Amino acid sequence: MTGMVEHTDLILDGTKIAWHAERVRAWERGERIAPITIDMALTRACNYACGYCYAMLQENDRKVINQKIIYDFLEDCAEIGVKGISLVSDGESTISPVFVDTIRRGSELGLSMAVGTNGFVLTRPKLEQILPHMTYLRVNISAGERKRYAEIMGVKENWFDRVCQNIRDMVDIKKRNNLPVTIGLQMVLMPEFEDQIMPLAELGKELRPDYLVIKHCSDNEDGDLGVDYSGYARLYDTLRAAEALSDDEYKVVVKWSKIEAKNERSYQRCYGAPFMIQMSGSGLVAPCGMLFNERYKKFHIGNICEQRFKDIWASDHYWEVMNYLASPEFNAQKMCGSLCLQHKVNEALDAHRKGMIELDRPSGAEPQHLNFI
């Protein structure tokens, strides 16, 4: 696939776990499977101060991921069978000194590489280096107007102009070089950001990325961010109006399934973690980002700054944590924050285990970003 994106095969509100049915079968046989996707950061640091930032609730001991550590990690991932690395966790990976090297080295090893970023430091020279090696690049931008962007994302107003230019450059480089990378924008929507839904959808139509995805805001189990999940209902008409701005090359996608779910889960077991783990920018390996905080230390499996990832993955402790999350002793409805990274994978695996669906590999064309489940 090259050039412009066919949006029919871009799954932004769902899961691609069924296309990895062979790994589901191995998991069901009790084999120690490698994660399909690892969601991680290269640093805990960030140059923004977004008011909705979940990462600020998950402080843990910070260690530095240098080039040797990340190269060893990527080689371990390729060796054990990890397929995709998304730099989308609890820090702004683009400001790490090893960001460009990580993208290139992962790509050379055959891993699918992706990043979620505020986009501020991704000026044209850096974009020229990374875009040929990437599956997708997604810019987190939760407002479409300068003043509100500054308020919501905790930065100066003129930063908005720089990010918009960087997005233009991404799109230009992609088109000029006919690259298969997907360029996306993401709005983390709290009900009080209602006034920015249409301005951002219209901005996207002007900047011409492949898509804008509008998603809910996750809160922790204590509700520290104060997300009013009942407040989303009044936004439905505006969200539909935003979707109506889609055209053949630009798609506005609302994550309806999570927004309509409010803060509720249909499942109690967490089956998704072995297929899709998260890692902190401190090097910490944990099942998911909601468990990074020091108070969840019993779920902390190891740190790539201290130990090779393939050894952490092969350890009994790794699998003790994974098996606990999938056991009757754990209840995701009561013991987790809202609508986590593994939510859609958990829904599918739970329905599969209960005999409600069969997870067979679908026939027909594969969706894009197959290794990001």
Side-chain angles (χ1 to χ4, degrees), residues 153-169:
M153 305 195 73
V155 294
K156 297 174 183 176
E157 286 187 30
N158 62 0
W159 287 32
F160 175 78
D161 305 323
R162 175 164 158 171
V163 170
C164 286
Q165 183 56 50
N166 290 348
I167 295 166
R168 288 187 192 95
D169 288 342

Side-chain angles (χ1 to χ4, degrees), residues 52-244:
Y52 54 80
C53 182
Y54 194 94
M56 290 304 100
L57 306 177
Q58 298 295 340
E59 189 59 68
N60 57 76
D61 288 341
R62 298 194 184 198
K63 293 181 172 62
V64 176
I65 300 174
N66 61 27
Q67 190 190 67
K68 183 186 186 313
I69 289 166
I70 198 63
Y71 277 20
D72 285 349
F73 168 77
L74 293 168
E75 286 163 13
D76 288 351
C77 286
E79 180 183 324
I80 69 174
V82 175
K83 297 186 176 185
I85 306 285
S86 52
L87 302 175
V88 190
S89 189
D90 61 345
E92 178 54 44
S93 290
T94 62
I95 65 175
S96 162
V98 298
F99 171 69
V100 172
D101 289 341
T102 300
I103 297 290
R104 281 175 156 163
R105 184 68 183 130
S107 173
E108 288 167 1
L109 290 166
L111 298 164
S112 297
M113 302 300 294
V115 66
T117 171
N118 56 47
F120 184 72
V121 303
L122 292 184
T123 52
R124 184 174 278 269
K126 196 167 280 191
L127 291 166
E128 297 276 11
Q129 294 181 72
I130 64 170
L131 286 176
H133 300 282
M134 303 199 70
T135 299
Y136 74 80
L137 191 160
R138 189 180 69 226
V139 177
N140 300 313
I141 177 171
S142 292
E145 297 170 328
R146 293 173 93 243
K147 188 171 186 300
R148 290 288 281 137
Y149 179 88
E151 292 168 356
I152 291 169
M153 305 195 73
V155 294
K156 297 174 183 176
E157 286 187 30
N158 62 0
W159 287 32
F160 175 78
D161 305 323
R162 175 164 158 171
V163 170
C164 286
Q165 183 56 50
N166 290 348
I167 295 166
R168 288 187 192 95
D169 288 342
M170 292 168 200
V171 173
D172 179 59
I173 293 166
K174 171 187 164 132
K175 289 183 175 177
R176 185 195 69 205
N177 296 336
N178 204 32
L179 299 174
V181 62
T182 306
I183 308 293
L185 308 182
Q186 175 174 277
M187 178 185 201
V188 177
L189 177 64
M190 294 179 81
E192 54 265 40
F193 304 163
E194 176 182 11
D195 63 305
Q196 290 305 295
I197 295 171
M198 291 307 293
L200 184 54
E202 288 161 359
L203 178 67
K205 201 166 180 74
E206 175 196 332
L207 298 177
R208 308 307 296 168
D210 297 302
Y211 69 84
L212 161 66
V213 65
I214 302 174
K215 59 165 284 191
H216 70 295
C217 182
S218 291
D219 210 337
N220 67 359
E221 66 273 35
D222 297 328
D224 287 337
L225 293 179
V227 183
D228 175 16
Y229 287 100
S230 66
Y232 284 114
R234 74 170 189 269
L235 313 181
Y236 287 4
D237 287 346
T238 307
L239 289 170
R240 290 189 192 98
E243 286 182 317

Side-chain angles (χ1 to χ4, degrees), residues 7-8 10 12 185 208-213 242-243 245-253:
H7 290 302
T8 53
L10 188 60
L12 295 172
L185 308 182
R208 308 307 296 168
D210 297 302
Y211 69 84
L212 161 66
V213 65
E243 286 182 317
L245 291 176
S246 299
D247 57 40
D248 290 344
E249 295 180 352
Y250 166 65
K251 191 169 183 68
V252 179
V253 179

